Amino acid sequence: MLTPSFAGMSDAILVEGLQKRFGSNTALAGVDLTVPEGSVLGLLGPNGAGKTTVVRILTTLLAPDAGRAEVVGIDVLRDPGRVRSVIGLTGQYAAVDEYLTGFENLEMVGRLYRLGRRESRARAGELLERFDLTDAADRPAKTYSGGMRRRLDIAASLIARPRVLFLDEPTTGLDPRSRLAMWEFIADLAGGGTTILLTTQYLEEADRLADRMVVIDRGRVIARGTADELKAQVGGQRLELTVSSAAELTDAARLLEPLAAGDTHADEQTRRLSVPVRGGTDALAEALRLLAGSSVEVLDVGLRRPDLDDVFLTLTGHAAEDGTDDREPAGRTPAETAGSAR
Ligand SMILES: Nc1ncnc2c1ncn2[C@@H]1O[C@H](COP(=O)(O)OP(=O)(O)O)[C@@H](O)[C@H]1O
Ligand SMILES: [Mg+2]
């Protein structure tokens, strides 16, 4: 299936210089990325970064203003029909028919892919089983919980055995338990050799599932690499301390200034100060000495290795899960979640 124009023969996804504007709003300002066949790429970024725009272009739903995009060597602009035949897409919002049962939803998608009645029904049964939906197979989708809908939606995207799967924020809005279950399904698929491009705002999700990550912010790639490479980029350890009142944060930051090896970050809400330091435990001892004679009351202090949240904070100046947020609060009952998954 690979055509000679294809740059890296083992890349299942190739994106070069992708640009897209909506009126005066630049959604993509020149994005490059590749995803090796059989691997998982985590496309990370805050709300509005351009993640869904990349996915929509790669899945032939939107044309770029400039740049090139290929899926398994097929150009998305020149041959959208062939691209659609090798991909699966699960959007940010589940696209299931409320009034059809789980089984009927999957059977219908099979027929849309022209699998034939027999094969469509067989695939539907198989996938319902795989996504723990067999018991709910004959119930209308409108009775499903948010997590069940998401599973049904992913099952639908797998009907035609896609080589490349696009998952756009697959766990946004799910409660923690459904999120864990979804992670297992995705890890399973990746283990089976499906190439996956996954967008997410959750760094833990990318850390667990993705082989490599591309971080975008305001339509530009700001970092790329494995989780370890990204963490190394931030470097060193961080001294973290919690003070007894937000007013003390400024004083604490000033006192610890001589130790700071980079930008100190203060969070008023958690009354926590995070200071990048060199020298590990020496820095910790020195910090305690600097604070000892002061009026700052320290409730908690410790050293921490950088995690992806630090990477994000360092790169973008804001936390990954900042901004407008359409997640539902955790711990809702399935019945409450059922009506609001769209
Ligand atoms: N159809 C559209 N019309 C106008 N602006 C859009 C449209 N789709 C996306 N945008 C804008 O493009 C930017 C990137 O959006 P999007 O790709 O949805 O980001 P993300 O998925 O990372 O949250 C945002 O500023 C968004 O408001
Ligand atoms: Mg999006």
Side-chain angles (χ1 to χ4, degrees):
M1 293 287 279
L2 299 176
T3 64
S5 74
F6 198 50
M9 288 301 275
S10 58
D11 284 331
I13 298 173
L14 172 77
V15 164
E16 252 176 32
L18 220 50
Q19 294 181 25
K20 182 70 191 179
R21 291 169 69 118
F22 295 102
S24 62
N25 184 1
T26 302
L28 300 179
V31 168
D32 300 308
L33 60 85
T34 56
V35 187
E37 178 110 50
S39 74
V40 180
L41 178 84
L43 184 59
L44 282 160
N47 259 323
K51 302 181 297 295
T52 297
T53 303
V54 170
V55 169
R56 290 183 68 208
I57 291 171
L58 281 165
T59 54
T60 77
L61 299 174
L62 185 71
D65 298 333
R68 188 161 75 106
E70 292 180 1
V71 178
V72 296
I74 311 164
D75 190 295
V76 297
L77 282 175
R78 250 176 276 150
D79 219 343
R82 261 176 79 215
V83 168
R84 276 182 230 125
S85 71
V86 297
I87 63 171
L89 166 65
T90 296
Q92 195 165 345
Y93 304 99
V96 299
D97 187 315
E98 303 275 307
Y99 294 96
L100 297 181
T101 67
F103 185 87
E104 289 164 346
N105 261 290
L106 295 187
E107 187 190 10
M108 180 187 70
V109 174
R111 301 302 292 271
L112 289 176
Y113 275 100
R114 303 204 179 87
L115 288 188
R117 185 181 149 89
R118 199 119 156 258
E119 162 114 44
S120 296
R121 295 176 69 92
R123 264 316 259 160
E126 249 170 70
L127 286 163
L128 286 165
E129 170 123 27
R130 174 154 175 202
F131 285 90
D132 284 338
L133 290 168
T134 304
D135 290 346
D138 297 324
R139 273 167 37 199
K142 68 176 180 210
T143 67
Y144 284 21
S145 69
M148 291 165 78
R149 274 161 200 255
R150 241 7 124 74
R151 264 140 57 203
L152 185 63
D153 202 36
I154 293 200
S157 69
L158 294 174
I159 284 278
R161 303 179 202 279
R163 287 171 63 184
V164 181
L165 184 63
F166 294 89
L167 299 173
D168 194 9
E169 300 203 24
T171 66
T172 295
L174 296 188
D175 60 72
R177 198 169 56 92
S178 305
R179 178 170 297 164
L180 276 177
M182 190 58 78
W183 287 352
E184 277 171 29
F185 290 124
I186 296 169
D188 237 37
L189 281 171
T194 305
T195 302
I196 298 174
L197 188 153
L198 162 98
T199 80
T200 184
Q201 296 182 51
Y202 304 122
L203 302 173
E204 191 192 351
E205 181 161 299
D207 213 355
R208 285 189 50 151
L209 296 173
D211 298 302
R212 288 187 315 128
M213 302 178 202
V214 168
V215 184
I216 62 172
D217 193 26
R218 299 183 185 97
R220 286 175 202 283
V221 174
I222 55 171
R224 61 178 91 228
T226 63
D228 282 343
E229 285 165 359
L230 291 178
K231 288 172 193 171
Q233 218 171 307
V234 173
Q237 288 185 312
R238 305 185 83 89
L239 180 77
E240 287 208 336
L241 69 159
T242 310
V243 294
S244 67
S245 73
E248 291 167 294
L249 285 170
T250 321
D251 278 346
R254 191 173 38 76
L255 286 166
L256 297 177
E257 178 77 54
L259 289 176
D263 286 344
T264 289
H265 182 73
D267 184 17
E268 301 213 342
Q269 229 152 37
T270 57
R271 304 186 314 278
R272 204 170 337 177
L273 197 68
S274 173
V275 188
V277 293
R278 290 194 197 89
T281 49
D282 286 348
L284 180 59
E286 179 64 8
L288 292 173
R289 199 187 60 76
L290 289 169
L291 291 162
S294 77
S295 61
V296 175
E297 191 185 342
V298 179
L299 299 181
D300 187 65
V301 62
L303 280 172
R304 198 166 56 72
R305 299 206 161 281
D307 58 20
L308 282 179
D309 287 299
D310 300 318
V311 173
F312 229 84
L313 210 56
T314 306
L315 291 171
T316 67
H318 52 80
E321 291 162 37
D322 258 11
T324 46
D325 192 336
D326 57 1
R327 279 176 300 160
E328 293 161 9
R332 280 208 193 180
T333 65
E336 282 178 297
T337 316
S340 56
R342 248 165 222 271

